[in-house]
Amino acid sequence: MSGQSRLKLGDKSPDVVSLRQRLIVTGDLAPSLAGSPVFDSYVEGAVRRFQMRHGILNTGVVGETTRAAMAIPVDIRQHQLELNLVRIKAMGGNLGARYIMMNIPATEVEAVNNGVVDERHMTVIGK
């Protein structure tokens, strides 16, 4: 995806062809749906799945945050997952009954009590 503009339902662009290919590689879009330059409902659904898996607000629109997540190379993403697995194992996988969970890419914070989200708030990330 070469452009920096947002891609959304109904758009027609050569960037959508690249987007489709990226979504096929990540398993979010069926391979039979490759090739079309139209951002249709299949692409929107695939973008939403990608966004949900990466902790991004799932709008179905490809903006700056989604482009950045898609641009992370596989080896870097794998290293991130390996580091997080070590962290989780070090904690014994138990966060306790009450904890706060920050999802930085989605700019959300959740207060969890006994496995249930009591509160969820949007946050501001930056300097």
Side-chain angles (χ1 to χ4, degrees):
M1 296 182 304
S2 60
Q4 292 303 316
S5 62
R6 294 163 47 99
L7 290 173
K8 62 186 182 320
L9 187 62
D11 287 350
K12 184 175 182 180
S13 164
D15 283 346
V16 176
V17 175
S18 299
L19 174 61
R20 284 177 182 268
Q21 194 57 43
R22 178 67 168 91
L23 292 167
I24 289 168
V25 168
T26 58
D28 295 300
L29 186 67
S32 61
L33 297 172
S36 172
V38 177
F39 194 118
D40 57 20
S41 60
Y42 294 110
V43 174
E44 182 186 45
V47 168
R48 286 181 185 272
R49 280 187 290 283
F50 178 89
Q51 289 169 329
M52 285 186 71
R53 284 189 307 100
H54 289 86
I56 301 168
L57 188 61
N58 64 332
T59 61
V61 175
V62 178
E64 186 178 320
T65 303
T66 302
R67 282 185 194 274
M70 288 182 171
I72 296 173
V74 172
D75 60 332
I76 301 280
R77 184 67 76 192
Q78 182 176 354
H79 183 66
Q80 290 171 334
L81 291 170
E82 289 168 353
L83 286 175
N84 285 323
L85 183 59
V86 170
R87 290 178 185 137
I88 290 170
K89 285 182 178 179
M91 293 176 9
N94 183 7
L95 297 175
R98 297 181 67 190
Y99 59 91
I100 303 272
M101 181 66 71
M102 177 68 199
N103 184 333
I104 294 172
T107 64
E108 292 180 342
V109 64
E110 296 176 338
V112 180
N113 190 11
N114 293 317
V116 177
V117 176
D118 278 346
E119 296 182 45
R120 178 177 290 129
H121 302 279
M122 299 301 291
T123 61
V124 176
I125 309 271
K127 295 180 180 178

